[in-house]
Amino acid sequence: MIRLLLILIFVIIFLILSIPIMFVEWILKKYKPYAADISSLRIVQWAFKVIIFLAGTDLTVIGEEHIPKDQAVLYIPNHLSYFDIILTYARCPGLTGYISKDVMQKIPLLSAWMKRLYCLFLDRSDLRAGLKMILTGIEQIKSGISMCIFPEGTRNPHPEEGMMPFKEGSLKLAEKTGCPIIPIAITNSHNILESHMPFIRKCHVILEYGEPIFLNDLTKEQRKFSGAYTQSVIETMLEKHKAMM
């Protein structure tokens, strides 16, 4: 419970103190937009690293060299925990927006930071809004901003049974832009919080980045079911992690 309280206190203090910071960033963006974007990215990454430290998470990272540094990518991770966002975003080398549930827009200050960092919100009940979100994501990737989407659609409540099926439409951003897909395998992050809510406990988490997947290099059949193909790549990495835990 102490870890949870420390993290909650830190998040509240950070969000309150970030109000004047966001104002300064807003002014900076008018004159040096890229510098302001990178500044915002590093500020939030610092906060996430503090949260990881307070949670006592022992993180093993594999394959970061597979992330291209000179172009936008589509990150595709499996999803076990709220902490998946914190763990992965803290390590993004460049500007990256996450696709999140629409409900996140209702959280004050947090939603402001998310919008500031090019996150997009998905309303599954509004097809027109969903199409608009996809088009916005395509434009962001074309402008050099990476995107991340969890193709299982939600957190997996039973990771011991394997991943939930990937939604094929989740790879549309890569199909329409030709950007590389970076598969991400996350093991054991649910044991930070979800497996024993409301307690946060120390645990070992493995975060592995796979080699880039270019859809144009796949066979016709693999492209037809690119979600299933990408899922199989992540499953192979997850299987390897079992010997490392």
Side-chain angles (χ1 to χ4, degrees):
M1 187 61 75
I2 293 177
R3 293 185 185 277
L4 176 61
L5 289 175
L6 287 174
I7 290 174
L8 288 176
I9 291 170
F10 172 76
V11 170
I12 292 170
I13 292 174
F14 172 79
L15 289 175
I16 292 173
L17 294 180
S18 72
I19 295 174
I21 294 174
M22 290 180 69
F23 179 70
V24 172
E25 295 284 293
W26 177 74
I27 295 174
L28 179 61
K29 193 173 177 69
K30 289 181 174 296
Y31 301 97
K32 295 184 178 181
Y34 181 74
D37 284 346
I38 292 296
S39 175
S40 295
L41 170 68
R42 301 308 178 206
I43 289 170
V44 172
Q45 286 183 320
W46 170 82
F48 281 178
K49 288 175 182 177
V50 172
I51 292 172
I52 293 169
F53 172 77
L54 292 175
T57 305
D58 176 19
L59 184 62
T60 296
V61 181
I62 305 169
E64 270 188 308
E65 68 277 5
H66 293 146
I67 305 175
K69 302 299 188 293
D70 57 350
Q71 66 180 125
V73 304
L74 177 64
Y75 294 105
I76 296 290
N78 62 310
H79 198 12
L80 305 173
S81 169
Y82 291 116
F83 273 82
D84 294 339
I85 298 169
I86 295 171
L87 293 167
T88 54
Y89 195 80
R91 309 196 71 87
C92 292
L95 296 174
T96 304
Y98 277 54
I99 294 178
S100 174
K101 294 179 180 178
D102 187 61
V103 68
M104 296 299 292
Q105 289 195 85
K106 299 177 182 178
I107 303 177
L109 294 180
L110 177 60
S111 61
W113 271 109
M114 292 177 72
K115 292 174 183 177
R116 176 76 185 81
L117 292 166
Y118 299 98
C119 292
L120 302 177
F121 301 92
L122 176 61
D123 182 355
R124 292 191 178 95
S125 64
D126 190 335
L127 292 177
R128 187 173 181 180
L131 176 59
K132 183 178 179 181
M133 186 217 67
I134 291 174
L135 294 175
T136 301
I138 290 171
E139 290 305 310
Q140 290 188 174
I141 289 177
K142 288 181 177 179
S143 66
I145 300 166
S146 295
M147 297 299 298
C148 178
I149 185 170
F150 295 94
E152 289 170 283
T154 188
R155 289 176 294 113
N156 184 352
H158 304 292
E160 67 281 357
E161 298 177 5
M163 281 186 287
M164 297 183 292
F166 279 16
K167 300 181 185 303
E168 290 294 334
S170 59
L171 272 66
K172 282 288 183 185
L173 297 180
E175 292 175 11
K176 298 299 183 180
T177 62
C179 75
I181 296 168
I182 301 296
I184 303 177
I186 306 172
T187 292
N188 209 40
S189 59
H190 61 292
N191 278 323
I192 301 175
L193 172 65
E194 278 75 8
S195 63
H196 39 70
M197 281 187 175
F199 302 102
I200 290 179
R201 294 177 179 166
K202 295 177 65 174
C203 72
H204 178 213
V205 174
I206 301 175
L207 178 63
E208 181 171 4
Y209 299 87
E211 294 184 9
I213 298 172
F214 293 90
L215 296 181
N216 288 338
D217 292 341
L218 302 182
T219 65
K220 183 178 180 180
E221 187 68 14
Q222 288 171 337
R223 286 197 303 273
K224 185 178 179 181
F225 301 103
S226 56
Y229 174 81
T230 304
Q231 182 168 1
S232 70
V233 172
I234 295 174
E235 285 173 341
T236 299
M237 292 190 282
L238 292 175
E239 188 64 28
K240 181 180 65 177
H241 293 176
K242 292 180 180 179
M244 302 170 61
M245 296 302 295

